[in-house]
Amino acid sequence: QSVLTQPPSVSAAPGQKVTISCSGTSTNIGKNYVSWYQLLPGTAPQLLIYDNDRRPSGIPDRFSGSKSGTSATLGITGLQTGDEAAYYCGAWDFSLSAVVFGGGTKVTVL
Amino acid sequence: QVQLQESGPGLVKPSGTLSLTCGVSGGSISSNNWWTWVRQPPGKGLEWIGEILHSGTTNYHPSLKSRVTISVDKSKNQFSLKLTSVTAADTAVYYCARGRHTAVAGSASIWLQPWGQGTLVSVSS
């Protein structure tokens, strides 16, 4: 049981948009910044978003992040087959004094 | 650019000790970063294990704290993970990563980049 809650899967056709929600509490997302990661099988996980809505160098602007209250959202526009992966949100939790992650969301391009 | 690579045995016996090392290249482990271990059990999500600064300061997940030790070897530019009394529940892909911590107006910002490719450790007799 992950501390942060994500939908298990989302899907859309190529070129469309998907959003992935990440729900937490006042001790994690409600107080701290959120980051997002992409996990492709057999490759190193990739940071997509940090500080709720900032993209590292090299991450295309098709990926966006936002936060409101105790929830955060990752958006992917112009969906491509290469975006088929698992996506995880993460944040510091003051109560646990640990980084907590969501359970992951599998994106399928139809 | 910084790159990380995990190494260690892929099979550990139950009740034994899991030991992994993460080699850091392209940068110094003495930089102001938190060197981190994360794992992913088969079919499950990511679990943060803990982190260490080059000074030796550590933070561990409370559920693993009694069994985990993370250490740093500056001379070899690497850091290590030891997990004792392992069971099948510790079977997972283990990743090392570089963590960045900042704090703004009492809010913590923590993100991990880059990551190693991960190494599968199975606990079985």
Side-chain angles (χ1 to χ4, degrees), chain A residues 38 44 75-76 91:
Chain A
Q38 179 191 59
I76 310 174

Side-chain angles (χ1 to χ4, degrees), chain A:
Chain A
Q1 187 85 6
S2 300
V3 174
L4 306 181
T5 301
Q6 297 180 233
S9 63
V10 297
S11 60
Q16 297 301 303
K17 175 181 178 178
V18 294
T19 59
I20 300 170
S21 60
C22 175
S23 179
T25 67
S26 59
T27 62
N28 41 66
I29 294 179
K31 180 63 177 176
N32 300 315
Y33 293 87
V34 178
S35 54
W36 289 90
Y37 305 88
Q38 179 191 59
L39 269 70
L40 285 161
T43 66
Q46 175 77 40
L47 174 70
L48 294 177
I49 298 288
Y50 67 102
D51 287 357
N52 301 333
D53 57 10
R54 301 183 68 179
R55 283 187 312 277
S57 174
I59 300 300
D61 59 7
R62 300 188 301 105
F63 295 91
S64 64
S66 63
K67 187 186 106 167
S68 178
T70 58
S71 293
T73 302
L74 175 71
I76 310 174
T77 60
L79 206 59
Q80 302 174 0
T81 54
D83 297 330
E84 284 204 333
Y87 294 82
Y88 290 83
C89 57
W92 182 258
D93 188 295
F94 276 133
S95 176
L96 293 172
S97 292
V99 173
V100 292
F101 291 104
T105 299
K106 176 74 172 87
V107 169
T108 300
V109 181
L110 300 172

